[in-house]
Amino acid sequence: MRFALSEDQTMLQDSLNRALGDLSPLERVRRFADEGEAAAADIWAGLAELGLPGLTIAEEHGGLGLGMLEAALAAGALGRVVAPTPFLGSAVLAPLALKLGGSSAQQARWLPQLAAGKATAGVAISEPVAGARDGAGVTASAGRLNGKALFALDAAGADLLVVADRAGGLHLAHSAEAAEAMPGIDATRRLTELSFADTPAEALASNQALERLRDAAWIMLAADTLGAAEAMLAKAVAYAKERKQFGRTIGSFQAVKHLCAEMAAELEPARALVWYAAYAFDHAPDEAPLMAAHAKAHMSEIGRFIARTATEVHGGIGMTDLLGLHYWFKRIGQNRQLLGGPEKVREIAARLQGLAA
């Protein structure tokens, strides 16, 4: 599959890569992970100066009015440096939920704040998308939420919560009764358990909003994994060019060449798949659900292969905290399972095609 970016999209990607190199170096990521910060406010503020929080928000609300492909390029750039930001919830999913089902008053209240980076949003849609665990799930009645939502994204310290109930309806809440950090393998992305007890909430109107949010989230997670995998491949190649063994750089050994070549061969078509899935979200809506599922499931598998192989190229040092390769490894691993692992996503894709009940 071939899919080419426009000149403007390439410029966006390049400018974000340069900016994030300064805003989110490994030392800053390590500090975020080690100190248990709820949010890296300095990184988000720097990205707000570039307009990133408003990437997908309409110009009338202070945003840039760009599409899902541009958002995927941004997600890839963030994954490339494992940046700890609320991009997924605040810049993509919450604005999309408001666009699809929010009233004009709700949009006028929240979209300008999100676009300016002055407010952040968390999203809790895991149960109706990927299946609920025992004791989890949210019910809605008479403008009140009750129950528990697990694996909420970007919800720590958020000003706005987008919450899905058991029936697939979406709601806006200002806070939860309780919000507790959940353990996860990726210390650069916080997961939250939200509890609701007669919590006031405003219902969103669209019946199709949850499916669209699911597709957008799958695309963003695939793009984030793509960026992380690109970084791990680049690090493996650079290491192979400088590490010497038996008086030769290890990159001169055929076995190491084959490992790097196989990673590159797997990644190249996956890149086009992710980009096309993002393009289809805006321009080919009939294809979008299936393409989003393919991108999420396939990138989960390719990401795991590259994470494992790049670590293998590094040898023993690849597992050390000093090198920091594990931040990318764990980001890829957690992305794989968020909102459905590849097996679950393929099951949904099969149902979309009428291949499964």
Side-chain angles (χ1 to χ4, degrees):
M1 178 184 294
R2 294 183 60 83
F3 189 85
L5 300 178
S6 69
E7 184 177 346
D8 287 344
Q9 290 162 345
T10 301
M11 289 177 61
L12 170 66
Q13 186 180 50
D14 291 343
S15 63
L16 280 174
N17 286 336
R18 289 193 297 271
L20 283 164
D22 295 327
L23 289 171
S24 185
L26 181 58
E27 294 78 11
R28 179 66 185 95
V29 173
R30 190 188 301 278
R31 190 165 73 251
F32 176 89
D34 291 347
E35 296 180 4
E37 297 175 66
D42 55 328
I43 298 176
W44 194 235
L47 292 172
E49 293 181 5
L50 300 175
L52 192 68
L55 191 68
T56 66
I57 296 174
E59 293 182 33
E60 64 186 278
H61 295 297
L64 299 177
L66 299 177
M68 197 57 61
L69 178 52
E70 287 80 10
L73 297 177
L78 293 166
R80 203 167 286 116
V81 295
V82 286
T85 72
F87 175 78
L88 180 57
S90 300
V92 181
L93 299 185
L96 179 60
L98 287 162
K99 175 184 176 181
L100 293 172
S103 66
S104 57
Q106 290 169 332
Q107 293 177 3
R109 177 178 182 184
W110 288 109
L111 290 178
Q113 294 189 60
L114 292 171
K118 295 179 179 178
T120 60
V123 177
I125 61 173
S126 180
E127 282 75 28
V129 169
R133 296 189 177 188
D134 290 344
V138 175
T139 58
S141 178
R144 302 278 172 170
L145 300 180
N146 286 280
K148 187 179 295 183
L150 305 181
F151 308 107
L153 301 167
D154 301 332
D159 304 288
L160 175 68
L161 299 173
V162 177
V163 184
D165 63 33
R166 292 178 186 270
L170 292 178
H171 309 265
L172 299 182
H174 301 297
S175 63
E177 182 74 14
E180 298 183 8
M182 295 186 68
I185 61 171
D186 179 11
T188 70
R189 174 176 282 146
R190 306 288 184 230
L191 301 176
T192 307
E193 177 184 308
L194 302 175
S195 299
F196 301 95
D198 284 331
T199 304
E202 307 166 55
L204 294 174
S206 175
N207 292 328
Q208 300 298 320
L210 178 61
E211 288 76 12
R212 293 289 279 173
L213 253 67
R214 175 202 67 192
D215 296 345
W218 281 349
I219 293 166
M220 291 302 104
L221 291 170
D224 189 275
T225 294
L226 173 64
E230 288 174 338
M232 292 196 79
L233 172 57
K235 290 176 182 296
V237 171
Y239 183 77
K241 289 179 178 179
E242 66 182 27
R243 175 73 168 94
K244 290 187 176 182
Q245 189 69 33
F246 307 115
R248 296 167 54 186
T249 57
I250 63 172
S252 66
F253 296 124
Q254 189 176 49
V256 176
K257 288 180 182 179
H258 284 180
L259 290 174
C260 293
E262 190 173 0
M263 285 190 284
E266 294 284 0
L267 191 59
E268 189 63 30
R271 182 182 295 113
L273 173 61
V274 172
W275 289 351
Y276 183 74
Y279 171 85
F281 186 90
D282 292 321
H283 302 286
D286 291 342
E287 296 182 43
L290 190 57
M291 293 306 303
H294 284 326
K296 173 65 161 67
H298 187 64
M299 202 61 237
S300 295
E301 304 287 21
I302 297 305
R304 183 173 70 170
F305 167 74
I306 290 175
R308 183 179 66 243
T309 307
T311 304
E312 184 179 343
V313 169
H314 282 82
I317 197 174
M319 302 302 295
T320 65
D321 182 66
L322 178 65
L323 185 66
L325 200 64
H326 62 91
Y327 290 111
W328 287 267
F329 193 108
K330 293 173 182 176
R331 173 69 74 94
I332 289 170
Q334 186 158 290
N335 284 350
R336 175 185 171 89
Q337 296 304 128
L338 284 176
L339 300 181
E343 299 83 6
K344 177 67 176 181
V345 175
R346 289 194 185 101
E347 178 186 335
I348 296 172
R351 290 203 299 269
L352 289 172
Q353 298 174 87
L355 302 175

